[in-house]
Amino acid sequence: MSWVFLRDLLSGVNKYSTGIGRIWVAVVFIFRLLVYVAAAENIWKHEHDEFECNIKQPGCENVCFDHFFPVSHIRLWALQLIMVSTPSLLVVFHVAYRQNKHHKQKLHKNPGKIDGGLLCTYLISLILKTGLEIVFLVLFYKLYNGFKIPPLVKCDIKPCPNTVDCYISKPTEKMIFLHFLLATSCLCIVLNLSELSYLIFKYSIKCYLKRHLKKQQDSEHNCCKSELIRYNRAAAAGRLHNSLSSLPLNMQDEHEKHPPLT
């Protein structure tokens, strides 16, 4: 299976991520993808052939293996890696649309800020990634009756004539990798929730400060406007007083008796 596309996808989204998002990309790429390709895939490679039961009844081993392992751990792990990385495509498509709108040629030529519609898309991708991680952890738990791999299982499913003992190959090694899978998945959930909280808090504070600054500017504008009105009134009154002072005394008396209508 080729993981080049997934690697390119994660590295592309990395340019539009926060610091926490870059840590998430590093965890997925190094501690999940590389571990899967380098080690885990080989451990489960011949799991069906190495699954043995102490009876040679035709079909018994196949039925018992299908009962205890309806989906291979390693295939479910690969599906989880693909699904939790898929929401990042939303960010890539949004960036591509935005840059295509501005007639830019390269998708990741000029990394921009996470704001506006891109912020909403990024938050949705975080929520989807967190939800998918939780869904797959629950799926692992339900399919295999917990996060454990016993060395011996007992099977009494037809066509087995009675209860037979079946042995799983390399159970300790598989258990270690299964717990490693659980730990990295939980770490990714914590990182996604941390980044989600950080972005919501950051932009909530930003919106609050912007609204507060606008109110302050409006208040200062109104205050300046009131001062200007008072100044104009005072100036008009001063000009009126000066004009009256320049009139003869008899005209001033006449003006006081008959003031102009306002």
Side-chain angles (χ1 to χ4, degrees):
M1 182 177 187
S2 177
W3 296 94
V4 176
F5 172 74
L6 185 59
R7 182 200 63 192
D8 294 340
L9 170 64
L10 294 177
S11 61
V13 176
N14 192 36
K15 297 182 181 181
Y16 291 88
S17 300
T18 63
I20 302 174
R22 292 187 179 96
I23 296 174
W24 178 86
V25 171
V27 169
V28 171
F29 184 72
I30 298 173
F31 296 104
R32 300 181 76 172
L33 183 57
L34 290 184
V35 168
Y36 174 91
V37 173
E41 194 172 20
N42 292 326
I43 295 173
W44 273 273
K45 192 172 184 179
H46 303 290
E47 59 176 334
H48 187 275
D49 296 335
E50 296 172 348
F51 183 83
E52 296 181 353
C53 298
N54 60 355
I55 192 172
K56 296 303 178 182
Q57 177 73 23
C60 182
E61 284 188 1
N62 289 335
V63 171
C64 291
F65 181 84
D66 183 69
H67 174 73
F68 290 107
F69 302 103
V71 181
S72 173
H73 285 84
I74 201 66
R75 291 185 179 89
L76 194 58
W77 192 354
L79 182 61
Q80 181 182 10
L81 278 173
I82 294 170
M83 293 302 294
V84 299
S85 302
T86 300
S88 299
L89 282 172
L90 295 175
V91 180
V92 174
F93 290 152
H94 188 105
V95 172
Y97 169 77
R98 189 171 71 173
Q99 292 188 345
N100 184 57
K101 190 176 179 180
H102 292 84
H103 305 287
K104 294 181 180 179
Q105 300 299 322
K106 292 186 178 180
L107 181 60
H108 303 297
K109 185 177 180 181
N110 296 315
K113 294 181 180 179
I114 304 176
D115 55 6
L118 182 58
L119 173 63
C120 295
T121 303
Y122 197 88
L123 292 177
I124 291 172
S125 71
L126 288 175
I127 294 172
L128 289 176
K129 286 190 288 188
T130 305
L132 288 170
E133 291 278 15
I134 295 173
V135 166
F136 272 95
L137 287 180
V138 173
L139 194 60
F140 267 99
Y141 187 86
K142 293 291 186 181
L143 283 176
Y144 308 117
N145 295 320
F147 300 101
K148 60 183 185 297
I149 299 180
L152 171 68
V153 292
K154 295 184 178 294
C155 178
D156 57 356
I157 303 173
K158 293 181 179 180
C160 299
N162 49 30
T163 301
V164 298
D165 295 333
C166 297
Y167 300 91
I168 300 173
S169 65
K170 297 177 281 189
T172 304
E173 191 174 17
K174 290 179 179 178
M175 177 79 77
I176 292 172
F177 275 94
L178 188 61
H179 287 170
F180 183 82
L181 162 68
L182 175 63
T184 53
S185 294
C186 292
L187 178 59
C188 287
I189 291 172
V190 172
L191 289 173
N192 286 331
L193 292 176
S194 299
E195 188 176 16
L196 185 65
S197 303
Y198 167 74
L199 288 174
I200 292 175
F201 177 77
K202 176 183 176 181
Y203 284 94
S204 297
I205 294 296
K206 185 178 179 180
C207 291
Y208 172 77
L209 292 176
K210 187 176 180 180
R211 198 180 305 118
H212 179 72
L213 182 61
K214 185 178 180 182
K215 287 182 179 179
Q216 189 176 8
Q217 289 175 348
D218 291 341
S219 178
E220 291 177 357
H221 177 72
N222 293 333
C223 183
C224 292
K225 190 175 180 181
S226 300
E227 290 290 338
L228 183 61
I229 292 173
R230 284 197 294 268
Y231 174 78
N232 290 336
R233 286 178 178 175
R239 286 195 299 270
L240 179 61
H241 178 72
N242 292 335
S243 63
L244 289 175
S245 299
S246 63
L247 293 175
L249 292 175
N250 57 350
M251 293 185 68
Q252 292 183 20
D253 294 338
E254 187 66 24
H255 186 276
E256 291 177 357
K257 291 179 182 179
H258 303 283
L261 297 174
T262 58

